[in-house]
Amino acid sequence: MNIGLFTDTYFPQVSGVATSIKTLRDELRAQGHHVYIFTTTDPKVGPEDDEPGVYRFTSVPFVSFTDRRIAVRGLFKAYKLCKELELDVIHTQTEFSLGWMGKVTARSLKIPCIHTYHTMYQDYLHYIANGRILKPRNVKQMANVFMMNMAGIVCPSERVRSTLTGYGIKVPMRVIPTGVNLDRYSVQRDEAQIKTMRESLGYNSDTPVLLSLSRLAFEKNIHELIEALPDILESEPKAQLLIVGDGPARETLEKQANQLGLADHVTFTGEINNNDVQKYYQLANVFVSASDSESQGLTYIEALASGLPIVVMKSPYTLELIDDPAIGVNFETKAQLVESVLEYCGVEFTPEDNDKRSAKLEEISAHTFGSRVIQFYKDSEIEYAQSAREPINLFKGPRG
């Protein structure tokens, strides 16, 4: 198939959405399909830096969220490119500029448009004028308008499908969890490299390391991990909290750690190279997160693939993912977080535990992810051909 992925967010931007899209692109290509990325310009990327098959459209920073961008023109350019590439399906990954561009182009070319609903926007309204303008009802309205006449919606989790169903959206939906490249995260541990990295961070080989890896945004609730650390240190005085990533909450979190007298037990790495992510998983003992806004939790899956137990805030998504103690545990209170971290810091998985973890990973592998998405494309093509009415062609000339 010839597939166009339309997204406002793509590498080198760092986000779960960008990672999800790259994983999908790589896996679809591995399975023999032709995949093209339509995305925004980025000040970090010059025309010569992109690989073939990536098309960028003039953009500006998004209001109140300046590390994300919005395309300001390029609809006709997108239409011409998609026509020349003879796309079979367009798969939008955003409800904003590139999403609308993809939707309009698909309608003009008379091909199905599939959409992935990545973001639970009700958890992010504070980024727009501190939540004074947009309300949850506006999110519902936006979702209904954008997804009207879509051929299908990919829901990364049951939580997403439940939310969209609650919005009254009637488009065919399919729950397809975003997969991870297991080969990348399950590589054999390089003990010498791990030792060197630990030493560079001031850790010994026996230092219990709690890893938090995400964008440092307020909705990630990283402050709750810092609040729990003194209780953890009472039983495990050598414990260290390693906070990997950057974002708007970093200054507040650093101040919190200093005020609690935890500067010697909390390390902030800042943003790291995406190619180094797996190294941080390997040097840690347990992955921790207090976020309750995840719709797909890619870092949770990456940690699982890297062999780490995961201790995370209970949510509809995590209840789907963590269904056995061999994988990890959901917590609801600080006391549960502390107890679970102490338990998993010294855990050794049995062969039976490893079998359970392997079975879970197979469900969420990149290969399974890509295969399910392709099947959804094919099913949507059939339904589209059977039910599509003659659309208004917004551009002159037939496809082909």
Side-chain angles (χ1 to χ4, degrees):
M1 299 181 74
N2 295 328
I3 302 157
L5 303 181
F6 279 68
T7 174
D8 290 325
T9 301
Y10 194 63
F11 287 104
Q13 295 179 29
V14 178
S15 72
V17 174
T19 300
S20 172
I21 294 165
K22 187 175 187 304
T23 298
L24 178 61
R25 185 207 67 169
D26 291 348
E27 187 55 41
L28 294 182
R29 286 183 175 178
Q31 296 188 26
H33 303 282
H34 305 286
V35 186
Y36 307 95
I37 303 291
F38 296 75
T39 189
T40 55
T41 52
D42 191 290
K44 298 179 182 177
V45 178
E48 70 285 352
D49 296 328
D50 267 326
E51 58 189 303
V54 177
Y55 304 102
R56 294 189 181 269
F57 296 79
T58 303
S59 64
V60 296
F62 186 63
V63 178
S64 300
F65 203 179
T66 55
D67 56 349
R68 298 293 180 262
R69 302 184 68 83
I70 296 292
V72 293
R73 63 174 181 266
L75 177 58
F76 189 65
K77 172 186 172 182
Y79 167 78
K80 287 182 64 178
L81 281 169
C82 292
K83 185 177 179 181
E84 292 170 3
L85 295 169
E86 298 186 339
L87 295 189
D88 297 298
V89 62
I90 284 176
H91 188 168
T92 55
Q93 311 281 333
T94 172
E95 295 77 24
F96 298 101
S97 58
L98 265 298
W100 281 101
M101 200 179 294
K103 183 177 179 180
V104 170
T105 300
R107 181 173 175 82
S108 180
L109 292 175
K110 305 177 190 177
I111 59 176
C113 188
I114 306 297
H115 180 65
T116 293
Y117 193 80
H118 286 282
T119 305
M120 306 300 283
Y121 289 103
Q122 65 269 30
D123 298 328
Y124 295 83
L125 296 180
H126 56 278
Y127 282 110
I128 310 297
N130 292 321
R132 292 191 297 268
I133 297 177
L134 295 180
K135 305 298 180 184
R137 66 176 179 275
N138 302 125
V139 174
K140 176 181 177 180
Q141 293 164 350
M142 177 200 72
N144 272 277
V145 169
F146 182 79
M147 282 176 270
M148 186 182 300
N149 298 322
M150 281 287 177
I153 301 172
V154 174
C155 302
S157 67
E158 189 60 48
R159 180 193 180 199
V160 173
R161 176 160 65 179
S162 176
T163 297
L164 296 183
T165 300
Y167 288 167
I169 293 172
K170 304 298 184 183
V171 175
M173 302 181 204
R174 193 167 298 181
V175 176
I176 305 177
T178 297
V180 299
N181 184 335
L182 299 184
D183 292 337
R184 176 182 179 187
Y185 292 100
S186 59
V187 295
Q188 186 173 354
R189 291 170 58 88
D190 184 333
E191 297 298 340
Q193 182 183 73
I194 292 172
K195 182 175 183 292
T196 299
M197 286 191 68
R198 276 181 163 253
E199 289 175 349
S200 70
L201 292 164
Y203 305 156
N204 297 320
S205 59
D206 62 346
T207 300
V209 179
L210 288 56
L211 175 66
S212 166
L213 193 153
S214 72
R215 184 171 181 272
L216 303 193
F218 292 99
E219 66 274 4
K220 299 297 184 180
N221 297 332
I222 299 170
H223 67 279
E224 295 187 18
L225 303 178
I226 298 175
E227 287 177 4
L229 190 56
D231 291 347
I232 294 171
L233 292 172
E234 286 185 10
S235 298
E236 188 56 80
K238 294 182 179 180
Q240 293 282 337
L241 175 59
L242 178 61
I243 299 177
V244 177
D246 208 346
R250 178 172 177 174
E251 184 177 349
T252 301
L253 295 171
E254 289 179 331
K255 185 179 297 185
Q256 178 193 13
N258 288 328
Q259 289 175 342
L260 292 175
L262 296 172
D264 292 338
H265 290 274
V266 181
T267 302
F268 293 85
T269 68
E271 186 175 315
I272 63 170
N273 189 301
N274 185 259
N275 295 325
D276 293 331
V277 169
Q278 67 272 24
K279 300 174 185 177
Y280 285 88
Y281 287 121
Q282 288 197 345
L283 70 80
N285 297 87
V286 59
F287 179 87
V288 290
S289 172
S291 172
D292 57 3
S293 62
E294 304 302 322
S295 61
Q296 51 189 329
L298 286 179
T299 54
Y300 302 176
I301 302 171
E302 292 169 356
L304 175 62
S306 301
L308 284 183
I310 54 181
V311 177
V312 298
M313 175 69 79
K314 180 181 178 181
S315 71
Y317 169 73
T318 63
L319 288 173
E320 293 177 54
L321 177 66
I322 305 173
D323 53 11
D324 192 280
I327 295 169
V329 68
N330 294 284
F331 68 85
E332 294 182 89
T333 67
K334 183 170 74 169
Q336 291 173 341
L337 166 60
V338 172
E339 179 183 1
S340 299
V341 165
L342 292 172
E343 176 184 354
Y344 279 103
C345 269
V347 72
E348 292 188 11
F349 293 119
T350 66
E352 182 181 359
D353 290 336
N354 289 329
D355 288 343
K356 292 176 180 178
R357 294 170 66 84
S358 296
K360 175 63 70 172
L361 287 172
E362 181 57 33
E363 293 178 23
I364 53 181
S365 68
H367 179 77
T368 299
F369 174 44
S371 297
R372 288 176 176 173
V373 170
I374 283 294
Q375 189 59 55
F376 195 28
Y377 290 165
K378 292 178 178 178
D379 293 344
S380 298
E381 275 192 316
I382 295 171
E383 293 183 17
Y384 182 86
Q386 292 174 343
S387 62
R389 301 172 182 174
E390 185 68 19
I392 298 173
N393 197 329
L394 302 181
F395 302 96
K396 292 183 179 180
R399 175 177 183 252

